[in-house]
Amino acid sequence: MILAEKTINIMQQNLVLTNQRALFWKETETIVLSDLHLGKTAHFRKNGIALPSEIIENDLQRLSDLIIHFQSKRMIVVGDFVHAGKNSEFNLFAEWKSKFSDLKIILVKGNHDRIAKEKLFDIGVTEVCEIYEEEYFIFSHEQLYSTKRFVISGHLHPGIRMKTPVGRFVKFPCYIVSNTQLILPAFSSFTGLDTKNHPENSHYIFFTKEDIYTI
């Protein structure tokens, strides 16, 4: 894994954005991510669409690398931790979580997280809530407009479309940042990109496998 980082300061807090689809909140030693979509590839396979199991395995390895690199004590998932009902990938996550037994996981429920809390607790999630507030921030799956705190959300799977020197267009996942909110990219590598439905008056921090850039 090639890790590129860009630190931004919001509400006097240092958020380290990475090209690995997650950020690290330095002051609280917390990894923050969105849209893991656990069980998505298994759900597709169950419905007759051949997808390799390595997709979720690679995503979890990337998450392991981030936790180890930043020595994270906690993880906040801002929604769509789960894609569908319980399936074989739940066992993969439970095995993964056993390697990080002290890691606290807070899940802010997303539109896909339609599953009993008990099943989430069984695989290592510590806390489940609709919206999570902590000091300077509100963590919400979908965009939320607040005058009290800065909002960190997901759901959109944001991306940007850029024209290359040879006239072709390429898409990159990105973070969207404004004065009131930060929208995270999807952590899952098996997601599309929304390049249109973006809030106004924002700027973009996009990334490749090798680096991270601001436009």
Side-chain angles (χ1 to χ4, degrees), residues 89-105:
E89 290 186 4
F90 274 53
N91 296 331
L92 283 176
F93 186 86
E95 182 181 348
W96 174 88
K97 179 59 171 65
S98 68
K99 301 172 185 176
F100 299 97
S101 57
D102 294 332
L103 181 72
K104 180 180 181 181
I105 300 178

Side-chain angles (χ1 to χ4, degrees), residues 14-186:
N14 292 292
L15 305 181
V16 184
L17 312 187
T18 76
N19 66 330
Q20 299 302 325
R21 299 172 175 259
L23 68 82
F24 179 64
W25 180 6
K26 278 187 177 181
E27 284 75 11
T28 62
E29 301 177 299
T30 303
I31 288 282
V32 185
L33 60 102
S34 183
D35 297 274
L36 177 63
H37 286 281
L38 180 68
K40 185 175 183 177
T41 54
H43 175 73
F44 274 67
R45 288 194 298 274
K46 182 179 179 181
N47 287 276
I49 301 173
L51 290 172
S53 61
E54 288 82 4
I55 293 175
I56 186 62
E57 292 171 2
N58 290 341
D59 285 345
L60 291 177
Q61 181 59 56
R62 182 159 45 90
L63 186 53
S64 294
D65 292 343
L66 287 169
I67 290 169
I68 293 168
H69 173 78
F70 289 113
Q71 297 184 328
S72 305
K73 301 293 192 298
R74 186 177 66 159
M75 183 166 81
I76 298 175
V77 183
V78 289
D80 286 358
F81 173 69
V82 175
H83 180 77
K86 185 176 180 179
N87 58 36
S88 60
E89 290 186 4
F90 274 53
N91 296 331
L92 283 176
F93 186 86
E95 182 181 348
W96 174 88
K97 179 59 171 65
S98 68
K99 301 172 185 176
F100 299 97
S101 57
D102 294 332
L103 181 72
K104 180 180 181 181
I105 300 178
I106 298 171
L107 169 61
V108 179
K109 291 180 68 175
N111 53 295
H112 278 278
D113 296 313
R114 298 184 294 270
I115 191 166
K117 290 183 180 181
E118 290 72 22
K119 293 181 179 180
L120 297 169
F121 297 150
D122 285 345
I123 61 172
V125 174
T126 313
E127 180 180 346
V128 179
C129 49
E130 299 293 331
I131 290 175
Y132 180 69
E133 300 188 36
E134 184 174 327
E135 297 206 30
Y136 309 92
F137 301 119
I138 295 177
F139 297 89
S140 170
H141 181 56
E142 299 188 30
Q143 295 179 52
L144 179 71
Y145 298 94
S146 170
T147 58
K148 299 185 299 179
R149 292 182 171 91
F150 188 90
V151 178
I152 297 177
S153 63
H155 182 58
L156 198 60
H157 305 181
I160 60 167
R161 184 170 178 262
M162 301 181 69
K163 191 174 184 179
T164 69
V166 296
R168 295 183 178 181
F169 286 93
V170 292
K171 295 180 181 180
F172 299 100
C174 68
Y175 302 83
I176 298 178
V177 187
S178 73
N179 291 332
T180 59
Q181 64 181 333
L182 165 62
I183 303 176
L184 300 172

Side-chain angles (χ1 to χ4, degrees), residues 199-213:
E200 297 180 355
N201 302 316
S202 300
H203 68 272
Y204 300 92
I205 299 173
F206 77 96
F207 51 87
T208 65
K209 292 181 179 179
E210 294 80 24
D211 216 335
I212 188 165
Y213 308 88

